[in-house]
Amino acid sequence: MFSPQVMPSGRSLPFIDFQWTGSWVKRKFRLRRTSDFKRVRQTGRVFTHPFLVLTVLPNENSSIRIGITASKAVGSAVQRNRAKRRLRAVADSMLSKLPAEWDMVLIARKPVLTADFVELREAVIGLMERAGLLPDSRKEFDDRT
């Protein structure tokens, strides 16, 4: 599991072997510019949950773009990065189900750190259903009429 890596200083450090699978939200699906974040936050529709805030806005591109952020209210830099990694993992698992031509911003709130992954995924799915980006998966089809 561990393989020693030699640093430029000559010290060897154990690093955990892992293979990058190319998952998580890829660069072409990310909002990166501050102006893009501001545009979505100022003119988009907002949906809230105790774990996070979702803001969505239609775009002119033919792809979906997702921005993930966490303010200092979430915690230290380590905690903010952990919150963003968790939200990125949830967003990546849903990327194929989301319609194109949307910009969205996910803003982490402090409770996201204590939520387990299933709760976090349900929160994101619920917000995206409320935003109209996903069909409501909890409704059952009734063909008795």
Side-chain angles (χ1 to χ4, degrees):
M1 181 170 180
F2 290 105
S3 65
Q5 299 286 328
V6 178
M7 300 293 290
S9 63
R11 297 184 346 202
S12 82
L13 297 172
F15 280 67
I16 297 174
D17 284 333
F18 83 98
Q19 184 172 355
W20 174 250
T21 61
S23 65
W24 290 13
V25 182
K26 296 183 181 184
R27 270 191 195 266
K28 67 180 180 178
F29 299 118
R30 289 188 195 169
L31 286 177
R32 290 176 294 199
R33 295 188 177 134
T34 304
S35 59
D36 290 336
F37 273 89
K38 284 183 180 178
R39 179 179 50 82
V40 173
R41 289 284 296 142
Q42 290 174 354
T43 59
R45 292 182 58 207
V46 179
F47 302 91
T48 61
H49 187 275
F51 296 152
L52 63 135
V53 176
L54 171 68
T55 307
V56 295
L57 182 71
N59 67 22
E60 297 80 31
N61 301 336
S62 61
S63 67
I64 189 164
R65 296 186 307 167
I66 301 172
I68 299 172
T69 185
S71 70
K72 287 189 178 182
V74 172
S76 67
V78 173
Q79 292 171 326
R80 292 192 307 268
N81 287 331
R82 181 171 185 256
K84 290 187 287 188
R85 278 194 310 270
R86 296 182 81 204
L87 287 174
R88 204 175 299 127
V90 170
D92 179 59
S93 69
M94 299 175 56
L95 201 57
S96 63
K97 299 174 187 132
L98 296 173
E101 301 176 356
W102 285 93
D103 286 342
M104 64 180 68
V105 174
L106 292 169
I107 303 170
R109 290 182 166 177
K110 188 154 183 84
V112 79
L113 297 171
T114 58
D116 64 1
F117 193 76
V118 174
E119 290 177 331
L120 189 58
R121 183 173 160 84
E122 288 297 319
V124 173
I125 289 172
L127 286 177
M128 291 192 179
E129 287 172 351
R130 283 176 39 204
L133 300 178
L134 290 175
D136 192 356
S137 61
R138 290 179 276 235
K139 288 183 182 174
E140 293 184 27
F141 181 72
D142 187 11
D143 62 351
R144 291 181 286 179
T145 58

